[in-house]
Amino acid sequence: MSKAYDRVEWDFIETIMKKIGFDEKWIVNIMNCVFSVKYTVKCNNVLLDIIIPERDLRQGDPLSPYLFLFCMEAFSRMLIQAQDNNILGGIRSSRNGPRINHLFFANDALLFVRNKKCDVEMLVNMFNIFSNISGQEINVEKSMVLFSPDTLRAQRNIFSDLLGMTVVENLNNYLDLPIPIRKKKATAFKETNNRLSCRINS
């Protein structure tokens, strides 16, 4: 996400808390914490007028990370609903395992989409819908696309243009875990095991 905290719409957070099922009094108390933010700018040793924002979350506020997670929860539910309706297929970790089309960690996301034009177009459409309702914006400059080896070159060009993201040949890791894992799992996780062993032994 681009400037994740700065773009959060307050109305969106309030709506999400209502959808999740929080008590009205709880929502009022939380939103009072959000609304209470005020800024002043000092210029030439003179304090200017108070600025009252209409959106964003305070950096460093212990409440802000949890409120931001509500935003990502909404996007997560959009992706799950699309998967349940067979719009975005996702991938399986095993032959009979459940399908997964995303993994989130704070404002970082790992999305799994079939290499079909309709799926990629649907994902772009979902990006736009989520951006419009939440105020969030996908940071395409820091986002990457990794294609499966059997994806044709022509398809890669079309999909990368649709997404507006840089194409990479491999992803070294995600949250310090190896990507991809492939068949030799012991080899893939060897470095992780070594780091954990060193940490435990020390």
Side-chain angles (χ1 to χ4, degrees):
M1 296 298 171
S2 177
K3 297 182 180 178
Y5 281 18
D6 296 344
R7 297 180 183 274
V8 174
E9 295 285 353
W10 292 347
D11 290 345
F12 181 67
I13 292 176
E14 189 172 2
T15 302
I16 294 302
M17 286 195 285
K18 288 177 181 177
K19 289 279 188 184
I20 291 173
F22 283 106
D23 185 79
E24 190 64 33
K25 289 182 180 178
W26 174 262
I27 295 172
V28 169
N29 288 335
I30 293 296
M31 293 313 296
N32 282 338
C33 293
V34 174
F35 296 150
S36 65
V37 64
K38 296 176 182 177
Y39 300 108
T40 55
V41 178
K42 194 172 187 179
C43 182
N44 296 328
N45 289 325
V46 177
L47 286 175
L48 304 180
D49 292 339
I50 293 173
I51 301 169
I52 301 175
E54 296 180 354
R55 68 175 186 180
D56 86 5
L57 299 174
R58 282 177 279 198
Q59 298 283 345
D61 189 318
L63 189 61
S64 294
Y66 299 100
L67 295 177
F68 179 74
L69 288 179
F70 289 148
C71 294
M72 297 310 293
E73 177 66 18
F75 190 35
S76 175
R77 292 191 184 197
M78 285 174 66
L79 291 166
I80 290 169
Q81 186 178 25
Q83 181 171 283
D84 290 345
N85 294 331
N86 293 319
I87 298 171
L88 289 179
I91 61 167
R92 295 184 193 274
S93 57
S94 61
R95 182 169 294 181
N96 297 316
R99 286 193 174 275
I100 302 168
N101 66 10
H102 70 282
L103 293 173
F104 286 170
F105 182 79
N107 66 332
D108 286 328
L110 195 60
L111 304 174
F112 307 100
V113 183
R114 290 175 297 193
N115 55 358
K116 295 181 179 180
K117 189 177 180 182
C118 58
D119 283 38
V120 177
E121 287 176 337
M122 178 54 65
L123 182 64
V124 172
N125 187 43
M126 290 177 70
F127 284 159
N128 293 332
I129 292 170
F130 178 67
S131 295
N132 290 334
I133 62 175
S134 70
Q136 292 295 307
E137 190 173 302
I138 308 299
N139 190 338
V140 292
E141 292 180 1
K142 291 186 177 179
S143 301
M144 297 170 285
V145 184
L146 175 66
F147 291 105
S148 61
D150 59 342
T151 307
L152 300 174
R153 180 63 59 184
Q155 285 182 305
R156 295 181 186 217
N157 294 336
I158 293 170
F159 299 157
S160 61
D161 287 342
L162 283 171
L163 293 164
M165 299 174 187
T166 304
V167 177
V168 295
E169 294 301 322
N170 57 66
L171 295 174
N172 294 329
N173 59 56
Y174 178 72
L175 301 180
D176 224 18
L177 294 173
I179 298 177
I181 295 173
R182 298 196 173 93
K183 292 182 179 179
K184 295 186 177 180
K185 295 179 177 63
T187 303
F189 286 102
K190 185 177 181 180
E191 187 179 341
T192 305
N193 284 334
N194 290 340
R195 284 202 308 271
L196 286 172
S197 298
C198 290
R199 184 68 62 87
I200 291 168
N201 291 333
S202 64

Tab-separated table of all heavy atoms in Angstrom, residues 41-48:
chain	number	residue	atom	x	y	z
A	41	VAL	N	1.315	23.786	12.811
A	41	VAL	CA	2.585	23.947	12.105
A	41	VAL	C	3.274	25.199	12.633
A	41	VAL	O	2.649	26.257	12.765
A	41	VAL	CB	2.360	24.073	10.580
A	41	VAL	CG1	3.688	24.279	9.865
A	41	VAL	CG2	1.649	22.830	10.052
A	42	LYS	N	4.552	25.060	12.944
A	42	LYS	CA	5.330	26.199	13.438
A	42	LYS	C	6.176	26.743	12.296
A	42	LYS	O	6.970	26.030	11.698
A	42	LYS	CB	6.221	25.756	14.600
A	42	LYS	CG	6.814	26.895	15.399
A	42	LYS	CD	7.522	26.350	16.637
A	42	LYS	CE	7.979	27.479	17.541
A	42	LYS	NZ	8.655	26.952	18.760
A	43	CYS	N	5.974	28.014	11.965
A	43	CYS	CA	6.709	28.660	10.880
A	43	CYS	C	7.308	29.963	11.391
A	43	CYS	O	6.565	30.839	11.870
A	43	CYS	CB	5.766	28.902	9.705
A	43	CYS	SG	6.571	29.645	8.274
A	44	ASN	N	8.640	30.073	11.300
A	44	ASN	CA	9.341	31.265	11.819
A	44	ASN	C	8.991	31.525	13.283
A	44	ASN	O	8.701	32.658	13.698
A	44	ASN	CB	9.004	32.501	10.972
A	44	ASN	CG	9.498	32.372	9.550
A	44	ASN	OD1	10.524	31.743	9.286
A	44	ASN	ND2	8.755	32.945	8.616
A	45	ASN	N	9.000	30.430	14.073
A	45	ASN	CA	8.707	30.483	15.502
A	45	ASN	C	7.295	30.964	15.825
A	45	ASN	O	7.012	31.399	16.940
A	45	ASN	CB	9.722	31.369	16.241
A	45	ASN	CG	11.092	30.719	16.316
A	45	ASN	OD1	11.206	29.505	16.446
A	45	ASN	ND2	12.132	31.525	16.211
A	46	VAL	N	6.405	30.907	14.848
A	46	VAL	CA	5.006	31.295	15.064
A	46	VAL	C	4.117	30.092	14.765
A	46	VAL	O	4.228	29.481	13.699
A	46	VAL	CB	4.611	32.479	14.149
A	46	VAL	CG1	3.133	32.817	14.345
A	46	VAL	CG2	5.483	33.684	14.431
A	47	LEU	N	3.246	29.753	15.718
A	47	LEU	CA	2.306	28.651	15.517
A	47	LEU	C	1.159	29.121	14.635
A	47	LEU	O	0.507	30.127	14.940
A	47	LEU	CB	1.775	28.155	16.861
A	47	LEU	CG	2.742	27.325	17.720
A	47	LEU	CD1	2.116	27.004	19.061
A	47	LEU	CD2	3.129	26.042	17.013
A	48	LEU	N	0.932	28.393	13.554
A	48	LEU	CA	-0.156	28.734	12.645
A	48	LEU	C	-1.469	28.138	13.154
A	48	LEU	O	-1.512	27.515	14.208
A	48	LEU	CB	0.171	28.228	11.236
A	48	LEU	CG	1.499	28.733	10.640
A	48	LEU	CD1	1.704	28.157	9.257
A	48	LEU	CD2	1.521	30.261	10.583
